[in-house]
Amino acid sequence: MTEDSQRNFRSVYYEKVGFRGVEEKKSLEILLKDDRLGILPPHHESHAKVMMYRKEQYLDVLHALKVVRFVSDATPQAEVYLRMYQLESGKLPRSPSFPLEPDDEVFLAIAKAMEEMVEDSVDCYWITRRFVNQLNTKYRDSLPQLPKAFEQYLNLEDGRLLTHLRMCSAAPKLPYDLWFKRCFAGCLPESSLQRVWDKVVSGSCKI
């Protein structure tokens, strides 16, 4: 009996006992040949052009900031990303000497951490920008609830520690902003931070 006939015999048998035969290899090949990947942009032929547009936009915004003397070649890269984000979102202050807002501090911390993970400056800016936007939109309502969720999980894992923190009034003073609003940027080492951010990008902030 040939290999094809054996495969066909098993398929017929499986169908008789209620299991529909599936040619995994063929199905996988069909999926791999499919041009629509479901990732930005949907057609891989557009990737190079989209990246070219993003690079041009990056350079245009950077040039504008240099013209108005908000940044220079000596400006730290993370601060450059912040000023670009402020300009594009219509929140650029009147002077670079103005103190930073709390949201600016969050962006700056995430940008500094992202610099350690992404080598290309254009990619780093766009990833930082999208990451911060996701925190500010998708997780806006969830972030204030995380301190309470943290205490609930801590109560399950180590109730004595939580009781001690409450007795000495330390629980409300824990650095929740550093942990949750900044998504552990500047708190965890890069190897751990990447794992946390993978979860956040995938759609979960309760980790």
Side-chain angles (χ1 to χ4, degrees), residues 1 34 55 61 67 69 77 121 135-136 154 198 200-201:
M1 187 178 288
D34 191 354
K55 184 175 183 179
V61 175
V67 169
R69 298 181 181 178
Q77 195 63 43
S121 58
L135 289 177
N136 292 337
L154 182 58
D198 282 346
V200 174
V201 171

Side-chain angles (χ1 to χ4, degrees), residues 2 5 13-14 29-30 48 56-57 68 74 101 127 132 136 151 157-158 166 173 178 184 192 197 199 207:
T2 65
S5 61
Y13 175 76
Y14 290 148
E29 288 176 353
I30 292 172
E56 289 177 354
Q57 182 176 342
V68 296
E101 298 290 335
I127 293 172
V132 170
N136 292 337
E151 292 189 10
E157 296 293 330
D158 194 337
R166 286 174 174 170
K173 298 178 182 178
L178 177 64
F184 296 96
S192 300
W197 285 7
K199 296 288 186 182
I207 45 179

Side-chain angles (χ1 to χ4, degrees), residues 125-142:
Y125 170 67
W126 280 98
I127 293 172
T128 302
R129 171 181 164 172
R130 294 294 177 88
F131 188 85
V132 170
N133 283 340
Q134 183 170 0
L135 289 177
N136 292 337
T137 54
K138 184 174 183 179
Y139 301 131
R140 177 180 292 274
D141 296 333
S142 300

Side-chain angles (χ1 to χ4, degrees), residues 49-201:
K49 185 173 291 186
V50 169
M51 288 309 302
M52 180 185 71
Y53 291 151
R54 287 179 177 173
K55 184 175 183 179
E56 289 177 354
Q57 182 176 342
Y58 175 94
L59 294 175
D60 287 344
V61 175
L62 179 60
H63 176 70
L65 287 170
K66 287 183 176 180
V67 169
V68 296
R69 298 181 181 178
F70 251 83
V71 301
S72 67
D73 292 338
T75 305
Q77 195 63 43
E79 185 179 336
V80 172
Y81 298 147
L82 171 63
R83 298 306 185 187
M84 293 177 68
Y85 181 74
Q86 289 176 328
L87 180 59
E88 291 197 292
S89 58
K91 298 179 180 178
L92 189 69
R94 286 180 290 177
S95 169
S97 61
F98 280 23
L100 297 178
E101 298 290 335
D103 286 347
D104 298 333
E105 296 283 3
V106 170
F107 186 97
L108 202 58
I110 292 174
K112 288 178 180 177
M114 197 70 75
E115 273 190 290
E116 301 298 320
M117 306 179 198
V118 184
E119 294 182 1
D120 184 80
S121 58
V122 178
D123 289 341
C124 187
Y125 170 67
W126 280 98
I127 293 172
T128 302
R129 171 181 164 172
R130 294 294 177 88
F131 188 85
V132 170
N133 283 340
Q134 183 170 0
L135 289 177
N136 292 337
T137 54
K138 184 174 183 179
Y139 301 131
R140 177 180 292 274
D141 296 333
S142 300
L143 289 177
Q145 302 171 14
L146 291 181
K148 184 177 180 180
F150 163 75
E151 292 189 10
Q152 290 174 346
Y153 285 121
L154 182 58
N155 187 44
L156 294 174
E157 296 293 330
D158 194 337
R160 292 176 58 191
L161 175 58
L162 179 60
T163 301
H164 173 72
L165 291 173
R166 286 174 174 170
M167 286 181 62
C168 63
S169 302
K173 298 178 182 178
L174 291 174
Y176 292 124
D177 284 354
L178 177 64
W179 295 348
F180 303 130
K181 288 186 179 179
R182 299 188 183 191
C183 206
F184 296 96
C187 179
L188 294 179
E190 179 186 339
S191 57
S192 300
L193 195 60
Q194 288 181 0
R195 299 178 66 182
V196 172
W197 285 7
D198 282 346
K199 296 288 186 182
V200 174
V201 171

